[in-house]
Amino acid sequence: MCAESVSVYLGLGSNLGERKQNLDTALHFISQRMKIDKTSSVYDTAPEDNPYQPHFLNIVTHAYTTLEPPALLTLLKGIENKLGRTPAKRYSPRTIDIDILFYGDQTLNTPELIIPHPRIAERAFVLMPLEEIAPELTHPVSGKNASQMLAELKKGVQGVFKFIEPLASKG
């Protein structure tokens, strides 16, 4: 465990089952182990890498944790399993997906985990909710903030729409 809390940003998505409930339940489980500070609105997102599946609901949440990155990843994978995510082909439909976007200003590159998430700057469904709650958050590698990355997104923001206002966290 870390000696003190670290600011983390997590991206959550669901496109199977009760999508909004899956996000809310995941936030509830996260709040049992971390202090959730802020959560974005919910965004409806057309699937990108495998278009033949249902739309996603996506959010970004800001929290504080005392867990080191590998332990945080283990916790989040446990929450995914608890919510019915099963091993499947990459980009398959899923009840819940929880990604570590940022862990403080740290960088990490292991076979199991890359921080910051390597595709943040390519994903409107991450950048739009991230920009909503942390427009000035600076990427520790590129030096660009969330607003700048969103403005530079080459494919734009097609297919990503605000669905509902922020979910209330239960914690």
Side-chain angles (χ1 to χ4, degrees):
M1 298 269 279
C2 298
E4 57 188 63
S5 290
V6 175
S7 170
V8 295
Y9 287 86
L10 307 174
L12 290 78
S14 174
N15 76 334
L16 285 180
E18 296 295 326
R19 300 172 304 157
K20 181 183 173 294
Q21 182 62 43
N22 293 340
L23 294 174
D24 200 24
T25 302
L27 284 176
H28 172 72
F29 287 136
I30 290 168
S31 74
Q32 291 178 337
R33 293 292 308 270
M34 294 183 265
K35 178 176 182 344
I36 293 178
D37 176 51
K38 223 183 265 189
T39 300
S40 72
S41 300
V42 179
Y43 289 79
D44 181 279
T45 306
E48 289 183 3
D49 298 304
N50 175 4
Y52 304 105
Q53 61 181 317
H55 277 220
F56 282 86
L57 291 185
N58 293 98
I59 58 174
V60 169
T61 193
H62 175 234
Y64 292 93
T65 186
T66 56
L67 297 172
E68 293 288 345
L72 177 58
L73 179 64
T74 298
L75 171 70
L76 299 176
K77 293 300 171 198
I79 292 170
E80 288 178 347
N81 290 339
K82 201 179 249 191
L83 289 174
R85 180 158 181 189
T86 55
K89 211 166 93 177
R90 193 170 190 188
Y91 307 123
S92 294
R94 46 207 173 270
T95 54
I96 194 72
D97 183 36
I98 309 171
D99 290 329
I100 302 169
L101 303 175
F102 293 99
Y103 184 93
D105 60 2
Q106 292 187 33
T107 60
L108 180 69
N109 192 341
T110 69
E112 297 79 31
L113 182 60
I114 299 173
I115 299 174
H117 192 284
R119 295 186 63 198
I120 289 171
E122 304 167 18
R123 295 178 160 176
F125 65 87
V126 170
L127 290 173
M128 288 177 71
L130 181 63
E131 198 248 359
E132 178 186 325
I133 64 171
E136 297 303 318
L137 177 68
T138 302
H139 192 290
V141 177
S142 73
K144 296 176 181 174
N145 66 36
S147 294
Q148 290 168 323
M149 287 186 286
L150 184 60
E152 292 176 1
L153 191 63
K154 289 183 181 25
K155 63 185 172 202
V157 296
Q158 295 84 3
V160 182
F161 303 95
K162 190 180 281 192
F163 185 67
I164 56 174
E165 294 305 313
L167 296 172
S169 64
K170 295 179 173 108

